[in-house]
Amino acid sequence: MRDPLFVNGAVVRAPERLVLRGGRWTLIDIAVRYGVWHHPRLGPVLIDTGYTKRITEGRERSVAMKLYNAILRPRLIKDASPIECLRRCGIMPEDITYIVVTHFHADHIAALCDFPKARFLADGAAYARLSAMTFRQQLHNGFFPDLLPKNFHERLISIDTRPSVTLPYGLGEGYDLFADGSCLAVPLPGHALGHLGLLWPSVSPPLLYATDTQWMLRAINEDRAPSGPARLIYSDRAAAEASIEKVRQFAGRGGRVVLCHEPSDPNARHEGRP
Ligand SMILES: [Zn+2]
């Protein structure tokens, strides 16, 4: 089985201390990744989408979106959007039949509209809760419904309709997304409503995409989760701490952990290129 590949599509500059307790005040580039994985039977599957110009450009953006962009100021990496990266590999937008949506923050859903045939695997209960919120509550939860395709609801497959499984490595209960054991959804609550990770148990070493459980692996492995403003992002702090512990244990057993926002490594040749 092939490993999933994670591509850095944008960066957000922030002091290291914001994402690592006791870290430096030096500005670092926090990555914003999405994943591409070739399912042996279903072909290319996307994992989130990263940012796109829908966040950073255009008069038609809502005032809330413009404000969000002005605060975070993400810089898109040239030619690194999912559509551009996939095209270079001969994969057209229509070829993507599934996209796993790990949660509904803007940096994960901004390109869902680019894939007209994709079905979306996500936490349906979280989507229902977010959809029923007032505008203010949605903003507080970092949810911009205008980023979703109009027919998102019809194309959504809630992960709890997939077979339930007891996950290996003490990761608790989860779901077998393609009913073949290849890729398992790992609920990692705390960061955002419906936040989940993905486990590929058969690649070597087993790989856990822990999404936004933390911004830096060091914060997990060295028990240095930030205590400042970044902590306010958690939707449920106690749950977030339990999720961090699960991921730490998995890493301690020799598993490989990938995070969406691990600061980019300028020497990593695959960054920005699948
Ligand atoms: Zn997030």
Side-chain angles (χ1 to χ4, degrees):
M1 176 158 318
R2 282 201 250 176
D3 284 20
L5 189 81
F6 292 91
V7 181
N8 187 12
V11 291
V12 173
R13 193 156 277 191
E16 183 187 71
R17 208 178 175 91
L18 197 72
V19 292
L20 183 70
R21 182 156 40 86
R24 300 166 297 164
W25 287 109
T26 313
L27 293 173
I28 55 169
D29 280 343
I30 294 169
V32 182
R33 295 186 175 80
Y34 58 88
V36 186
W37 176 55
H38 285 264
H39 184 279
R41 182 169 42 86
L42 301 166
V45 172
L46 260 185
I47 299 134
D48 295 327
T49 67
Y51 281 128
T52 63
K53 289 179 180 167
R54 288 185 189 88
I55 307 276
T56 58
E57 289 178 23
R59 286 177 170 205
E60 66 287 356
R61 289 173 302 158
S62 65
V63 173
M65 180 64 74
K66 286 178 183 164
L67 192 65
Y68 172 92
N69 181 56
I71 293 168
L72 288 176
R73 303 205 303 185
R75 285 179 295 135
L76 305 183
I77 294 174
K78 195 173 176 322
D79 303 329
S81 73
I83 268 209
E84 290 162 308
C85 279
L86 292 167
R87 274 220 174 98
R88 280 197 295 280
C89 299
I91 302 166
M92 296 298 116
E94 302 75 32
D95 297 334
I96 299 291
T97 48
Y98 289 97
I99 302 178
V100 182
V101 180
T102 60
H103 61 297
F104 292 91
H105 281 164
D107 52 334
H108 296 258
I109 64 170
L112 294 182
C113 288
D114 291 340
F115 300 94
K117 299 219 171 128
R119 304 287 309 270
F120 307 115
L121 286 154
D123 185 318
Y127 172 68
R129 277 183 68 186
L130 288 164
S131 302
M133 286 178 179
T134 63
F135 173 69
R136 235 185 126 115
Q137 289 169 325
Q138 288 181 338
L139 263 190
H140 182 71
N141 280 275
F143 178 53
F144 295 87
D146 40 331
L147 289 173
L148 295 177
K150 294 275 173 278
N151 58 357
F152 180 84
H153 185 69
E154 289 101 79
R155 294 161 65 188
L156 171 66
I157 302 170
S158 186
I159 54 162
D160 58 3
T161 64
R162 313 306 298 146
S164 326
V165 285
T166 298
L167 299 162
Y169 311 105
L171 288 168
E173 300 298 308
Y175 302 96
D176 185 353
L177 287 184
F178 302 105
D180 56 8
S182 60
C183 177
L184 311 175
V186 183
L188 291 170
H191 168 74
L193 282 179
H195 181 256
L196 54 96
L198 295 174
L199 174 69
W200 285 266
S202 305
V203 302
S204 182
L207 192 156
L208 175 63
Y209 181 55
T211 322
D212 290 3
T213 302
Q214 272 298 301
W215 291 265
M216 293 180 78
L217 269 177
R218 283 180 67 194
I220 295 177
N221 293 334
E222 299 172 16
D223 196 12
R224 292 173 68 187
S227 50
R231 202 172 187 182
L232 299 174
I233 292 170
Y234 299 151
S235 72
D236 179 335
R237 209 145 55 173
E241 278 165 16
S243 293
I244 290 169
E245 185 53 36
K246 267 189 193 174
V247 176
R248 189 185 296 129
Q249 275 191 32
F250 174 82
R253 293 184 185 197
R256 180 182 161 213
V257 176
V258 175
L259 297 172
C260 176
H261 300 304
E262 183 70 32
S264 53
D265 174 0
N267 300 313
R269 276 183 295 161
H270 67 271
E271 289 279 43
R273 276 170 267 161

